[in-house]
Amino acid sequence: VWQFVEKYGLPSLGWVVLGAGAIQVASGLLKLGRWFRAVSPSVVQGMLAGIGVLIFASQFHVMVDDSPRGSGVLNLITIPQAIKKGVLPVDGSVHHLAAIVGILSIGSIVLWERFRPKLLKVVPAPLLAVIIVTALAGILKLPIKYVAIPDNLFSGLNTPVLGDGSLFATPAFWGTVIGFALIASAETLLCATAVDRMHTGTRTNYDKELLAQGLGNLCCGFAGALPITGVIVRSSANVEAGAKTRLSAFCHGIWLLLFVGFLPFVLQWIPTSALAAILVYTGYKLVNPLGIMKLWAKERSEFAVYAVTVVAIVVTDLLTGVLVGFGLALAKLLYSFLYLEIRVSEPQGEEGVDLTLIGAATFIHLPKIASELESLKDDRKVRLHLGSLAYVDHAILELFDEWRQRRSGVTELAWDDLQARAGKRLVLPE
């Protein structure tokens, strides 16, 4: 997008955002948003953790009044440098003062969340932390960085101008518009899926969410402003503060407009390291180390999808990482439908053979299953165990039925578990 803007000028940004907003409105009206729900829980959890790692790594540098590096990987591997700057002041720098403010902010949040009186439950811990460290920095007149807000935000409006219309004839314009709409929609709705996992309140209406974002981007386009997207940081902050309804997001926007548009001098008293510390703490909670251990103990394959998603997000970007995780989840699903294990055993003290099938029995496995059945002698008793199958199709059932009818030995069928799970959808031969 920025390469396009650099080539065609800043007014082109407004038209790009307008076009993307129009696509999102149309997609919401056509009810295409619901398709973004088709994401594996391990991918969503990996997305949350990946975002958490990126936030933690970048804001750790800001917490010591330093600048983030050029990528998530660089931010991670240079954290020891940030710690060194915060602990050992060099050449008269004030990194250690910013670090103290950041540590006090995190400490205030942790203590308030643990020992907060019931009567003051409505006071969010991050808000209290900001008030405390802002007052302390003001009293001590600490020479650290503070929030920088322009005196007049509305002077930055850049309404797009139609011009000669040649912009709309360039393939690059429409490619940028479509790409912008897809990326913004995907990031917003994937974050909405993640937020739904963080609370027990009203679930997201994906089509309505997509329509609303499209309308918002139409407004941003007319103002020549940057597009809007849903992000996990603000949403998780609302959830952590005890928000229960969508009104919290609306109020969030109202407070931002009030302070940034009309009370910028209030924000200019806040140390940058304090806000960064809140984000560092938020990033840690998004990673959720306890959830990682539970996922590892529950199912290793799901943990692999989760881990790959996290690494891909950190190394590349959010959308690419989610697509990689989604692809791996699809590969895992395909493998589960292709995997079939056949066990043949002869229990001691019992007559006959036990034949157990584990996995998914589909027409693809007909040759393998038929070969195993034909290797069993007709005059031997066979106990057929199908209860461990996750799926069995009609072709396999017909194979079993034909095999039973033409053999002379006794065949015992053990598929009650499979019948119970499949219900009336599965008709088994008698």
Side-chain angles (χ1 to χ4, degrees):
V1 174
W2 288 119
Q3 292 176 352
F4 179 85
V5 172
E6 288 177 356
K7 183 176 180 180
Y8 293 95
L10 187 59
S12 65
L13 177 62
W15 291 116
V16 169
V17 178
L18 267 171
I23 292 176
Q24 288 178 312
V25 169
S27 300
L29 293 175
L30 293 173
K31 300 188 180 301
L32 300 179
R34 66 186 66 183
W35 291 101
F36 286 90
R37 299 189 68 175
V39 182
S40 168
S42 56
V43 175
V44 175
Q45 195 170 349
M47 183 189 74
L48 282 173
I51 295 173
V53 171
L54 291 176
I55 293 173
F56 180 93
S58 64
Q59 295 305 308
F60 201 97
H61 295 277
V62 180
M63 192 174 68
V64 296
D65 272 3
D66 200 4
S67 299
R69 305 304 186 257
S71 67
V73 175
L74 285 176
N75 283 326
L76 274 174
I77 63 179
T78 54
I79 283 180
Q81 296 179 14
I83 295 175
K84 182 178 179 180
K85 290 180 179 180
V87 175
L88 301 173
V90 180
D91 299 331
S93 67
V94 294
H95 294 301
H96 63 295
L97 297 178
I100 291 173
V101 170
I103 293 172
L104 286 176
S105 300
I106 295 176
S108 300
I109 293 173
V110 173
L111 291 175
W112 186 251
E113 287 181 347
R114 180 167 296 184
F115 303 108
R116 174 171 41 192
K118 291 184 179 180
L119 294 177
L120 298 177
K121 187 178 180 180
V122 295
V123 180
L127 176 61
L128 181 66
V130 168
I131 292 175
I132 291 174
V133 297
T134 299
L136 182 63
I139 293 172
L140 298 179
K141 297 182 180 181
L142 297 178
I144 57 179
K145 293 181 180 180
Y146 294 86
V147 175
I149 299 291
D151 294 331
N152 186 3
L153 182 68
F154 301 101
S155 62
L157 296 180
N158 184 33
T159 304
V161 181
L162 183 59
D164 59 3
S166 61
L167 177 68
F168 308 107
T170 60
F173 171 76
W174 294 107
T176 304
V177 167
I178 294 172
F180 210 114
L182 289 174
I183 293 173
S185 302
E187 292 195 2
T188 295
L189 297 181
L190 288 172
C191 285
T193 301
V195 173
D196 279 350
R197 293 175 57 85
M198 299 172 65
H199 69 95
T200 58
T202 306
R203 304 289 91 181
T204 298
N205 183 326
Y206 288 77
D207 299 319
K208 187 176 180 181
E209 184 78 23
L210 190 56
L211 174 62
Q213 186 185 103
L215 293 173
N217 279 330
L218 286 177
C219 296
C220 290
F222 280 118
L226 293 173
I228 59 172
T229 60
V231 294
I232 199 67
V233 176
R234 291 193 295 270
S235 300
S236 62
N238 283 342
V239 173
E240 289 294 327
K244 301 295 183 182
T245 68
R246 296 187 184 93
L247 184 61
S248 61
F250 180 80
C251 292
H252 198 140
I254 294 297
W255 283 113
L256 284 175
L257 177 63
L258 175 63
F259 278 96
V260 176
F262 302 98
L263 299 172
F265 61 91
V266 176
L267 299 180
Q268 292 172 354
W269 286 93
I270 302 175
T272 305
S273 57
L275 299 182
I278 294 173
L279 291 177
V280 167
Y281 184 71
T282 301
Y284 167 78
K285 297 196 74 173
L286 286 175
V287 173
N288 189 10
L290 182 60
I292 296 174
M293 292 186 289
K294 288 183 178 179
L295 186 62
W296 171 264
K298 185 177 181 181
E299 188 172 352
R300 301 294 169 85
S301 61
E302 289 295 320
F303 177 83
V305 174
Y306 161 87
V308 169
T309 303
V310 173
V311 173
I313 289 175
V314 173
V315 173
T316 58
D317 56 70
L318 176 61
L319 186 59
T320 302
V322 170
L323 290 176
V324 170
F326 185 72
L328 186 59
L330 285 179
K332 175 177 174 290
L333 178 63
L334 179 62
Y335 172 78
S336 67
F337 273 96
L338 294 177
Y339 172 76
L340 177 67
E341 180 183 353
I342 301 177
R343 296 178 182 175
V344 180
S345 60
E346 299 184 22
Q348 293 183 356
E350 295 186 20
E351 180 185 357
V353 178
D354 285 336
L355 182 66
T356 304
L357 273 65
I358 303 171
T362 67
F363 66 92
I364 297 176
H365 302 107
L366 273 172
K368 180 179 181 180
I369 297 175
S371 176
E372 198 68 49
L373 293 176
E374 290 168 1
S375 67
L376 301 174
K377 296 180 179 180
D378 285 344
D379 58 349
R380 298 197 65 183
K381 180 179 180 180
V382 176
R383 290 177 291 274
L384 195 58
H385 301 276
L386 305 181
S388 297
L389 285 176
Y391 176 80
V392 59
D393 65 17
H394 188 68
I396 301 300
L397 294 177
E398 285 189 348
L399 173 65
F400 285 135
D401 196 33
E402 293 172 0
W403 171 73
R404 282 195 308 142
Q405 291 180 14
R406 66 171 180 263
R407 69 186 309 271
S408 58
V410 177
T411 304
E412 293 182 359
L413 301 176
W415 50 22
D416 291 343
D417 292 342
L418 182 64
Q419 177 74 73
R421 284 186 277 117
K424 295 181 180 180
R425 294 173 297 168
L426 180 61
V427 179
L428 300 172
E430 297 179 358

